[in-house]
Amino acid sequence: MSEPKPPTPTPGDTYKGWLFKWTNYIKGYQRRWFVLSNGLLSYYRSQAEMGHTCRGTINLATANIAVEDSCNFVISNGGAQTYHLKASTEVERQRWITALELAKAKAVHMQAESDDSGDECPAAPPSSGQGGGCRNLEIQSTLRTLGSKVEDLNTCNDLIVKHGSALQRSLSELEALRVSGDVGDKMKQVTERATLFRITSNAMINACRDFLSLAQSHSKRWQKALHSERDQRIRLEETLEQLAKQHNHLERAFRGATVLPSSFSNPALGNKGGVSGKGDASDEDDDNEFFDAMEDPAEFITVPADPKYHRSGSNASGFSCETGMDDQSVNFDELSLASNPESPQTLELEPVRQRRTRIPDKPNYYLNLWSIMKNCIGKELSKIPMPVNFNEPLSMLQRLSEDLEYYELLDKAAKCQSSLEQMCYVAAFTVSSYSTTVHRTGKPFNPLLGETFELDRLKDCGYRSLCEQVSHHPPAAAHHALSEKGWTLRQEITLASKFRGKYLSIMPLGSIQCLFDKSENHYSWKKVTTTVHNIIVGKLWIDQSGEIDVVNHKTGDRCHLKFAPYSYFSRDVPRKVTGVVTDKDGKAHYVLSGTWDEKMEFSRIMQSSKGENGTEGKQRTVYQTLKAKEIWKKNPLPEGAENMYFFSSLALTLNESEEGVAPTDSRRRPDQRMMEDGRWDEANAEKQKLEEKQRIVRREREREFVKAASTPEEAVTEDSINDSPLKTDGVETGTEASEVSDETDTEDSPPLTPVASPYGPSHVPFQSAHPDNYQAMWFDKFDDPASGETLHVYKGGYWEAKEQGSWDMCPEIF
């Protein structure tokens, strides 16, 4: 089946088509799709690959183009890259040669003038409005297009002169030749040059036609723009004259002590009112036209403004109107109260607390890793006795609170009008929580049962959160965060980990939920698997792999994120994350791409189509998208982070001492504090004391559970059995085995269940029921009807207790 012939190439246009490229002596020439654009020649295996995979690119500005025979030609850039290409016909080869020569001449010309390109497009003057700046940019763009067409005409003129001279020389040589065997070769050469001359002439004619049509179409627009600018200047002059009269009237009234109307009691405000009233007819009209152009759904995506601009008091145009009005009204009220001496109460602005930016450097202690880990292969990580040498001076509760480092994403999501756009910000927030783990190879402290951690950033960032260790077998932590910007985050994380000798896998089993007050959207998702490589030999490094489905239970929207595992043989970017946002019907609307340790981008899908089959036989979907926009970028690490466990700026402040927190707060944990100060030996000793104290408290809790579940007579029997020194060897051995296995990081493991008990059936309810009846202090179990998950939800009372300074209900765990 023959391919349709491409049109004759015109200078400055993109030229595409099929060519045969030499690969190797086994496969020979292979059919490839070539694209010539902007002085670059790129090729793909198929047209469907143009959106995502380019197989190679060569710059024509430094390339040599040579013709081998009637259909073959070679492109080389000096040895680094050489393409041996073959066209289907001789005419097709001539078309490609002409297009390549035109593109090369233009690329060389543009490269020679690249240093002066910045002066050709001066920026709009600061005094001009947005509308005038937009029109200036349009005119400059048109001038650049016309200038490019003129350059194409010059290039075509040079090529016509070149090929015309060569054609004249060939004709002269043909006339001088006698009838011989060389006549055929010369005739063929004359034919080729005549073909080149005809193609170049056609290209020049097409360029002239384009130039003429552009000039005619834009001349009318320039006339309209000129009349509009003239009318606008007249209106501005009239407005300035009227403002001058009003100003003069106000000055006379003020000097003559004339009683002014209430609306003009403040000359400054009256002046501002006049300016704003007339400005709507002039500059503001330009702004409205500018926004109308940008709000075209096929060209622009509405992105809420970053809150940091509003906190600084700037009023730059282009941001979301809703965001700007809300924040600026608050700033205006605060400033007016602070500056008005006659206000009933003076506003006392509390200075923002300066938090620490450094912690003591990590000591360089030698530790024989294999001596500890060789007996732990295949065991649960929480049942392995670990010294603090493997830890970092933060607890798991504090690491959980680090998910809020990029809380601004949820602030922006709360202001989104579209649930699909909101889904993009929520998905970026899920990815951002992994950015702090790329260099964090230290193990956080396992929290004690009942341990808490509060992160109060209400004055700084508008949110506060609370974490509590609600279970220890399996270890589970509940987290609740509430923001003044209208979102709530709650999660319960249960970690399952296995040491495989060469690597360590950590599987989070809990669920994360995010709720927005304004839209009532309810999102839920789970975390991916974290793998720590080179446990025994080599440098530790961390990878995240797996898939996440972020689901909006109200609308049915879904975002499927894929964390690609690292592979030595893969040509993809390391730590790559891709995702697609779909509605309840499965139609794709946005594409997300990036890496979980650097940044994420999102782009709106305009059209989707089915591409060719992939390597696994699955049909791939090709999305045609608008230009990608950055939605999240990782904050840089503080200076000297490599000596401070690679902590981020937020992580450095998490263990900072703070007054008024609960007695169970992680900041008050002594072994963790000693480790941060560099006293690791003391920290290990203190850690063992805390573990033993946890075991004693747990055994007491088990005894109370047995007494509550048994009759009074059975309870007395149970106490006498526990206190009797005449225990059998089997029971005593079981107790010792339990205590040996209890040498964990925080608390003891579940007690061993004996196969047969010599003390009768009183042990049956003890073994059938869970021996630990611990109830969380600040969280209650809740069955969420939307997601179907069971998790611990904050029940209230903590912040009220903090305000009152009453912590009598808290257990003494430290």
Side-chain angles (χ1 to χ4, degrees), residues 322-373:
E322 180 184 356
T323 304
M325 289 303 296
D326 291 343
D327 294 339
Q328 289 168 10
S329 62
V330 174
N331 292 339
F332 178 77
D333 293 340
E334 292 177 355
L335 291 175
S336 61
L337 288 175
S339 60
N340 188 4
E342 299 178 358
S343 59
Q345 57 180 3
T346 304
L347 180 64
E348 296 181 1
L349 296 178
E350 296 184 7
V352 179
R353 176 178 175 180
Q354 296 295 327
R355 303 188 183 274
R356 66 181 184 180
T357 59
R358 289 198 60 84
I359 61 174
D361 290 348
K362 177 183 178 181
N364 188 14
Y365 285 161
Y366 171 76
L367 182 66
N368 188 354
L369 185 65
W370 179 245
S371 64
I372 298 174
M373 304 297 289

Side-chain angles (χ1 to χ4, degrees), residues 252-317:
R252 290 181 180 179
F254 179 78
R255 292 175 182 175
T258 304
V259 179
L260 297 178
S262 58
S263 60
F264 293 94
S265 59
N266 190 334
L269 293 179
N271 192 8
K272 289 181 180 180
V275 173
S276 62
K278 290 298 178 181
D280 292 339
S282 55
D283 294 343
E284 293 298 327
D285 287 344
D286 299 336
D287 293 339
N288 292 335
E289 292 176 6
F290 177 75
F291 280 117
D292 290 341
M294 293 187 66
E295 288 175 357
D296 187 356
E299 299 292 335
F300 182 73
I301 299 175
T302 303
V303 181
D306 194 324
K308 65 183 181 181
Y309 293 102
H310 304 297
R311 284 199 296 271
S312 62
S314 63
N315 190 17
S317 61

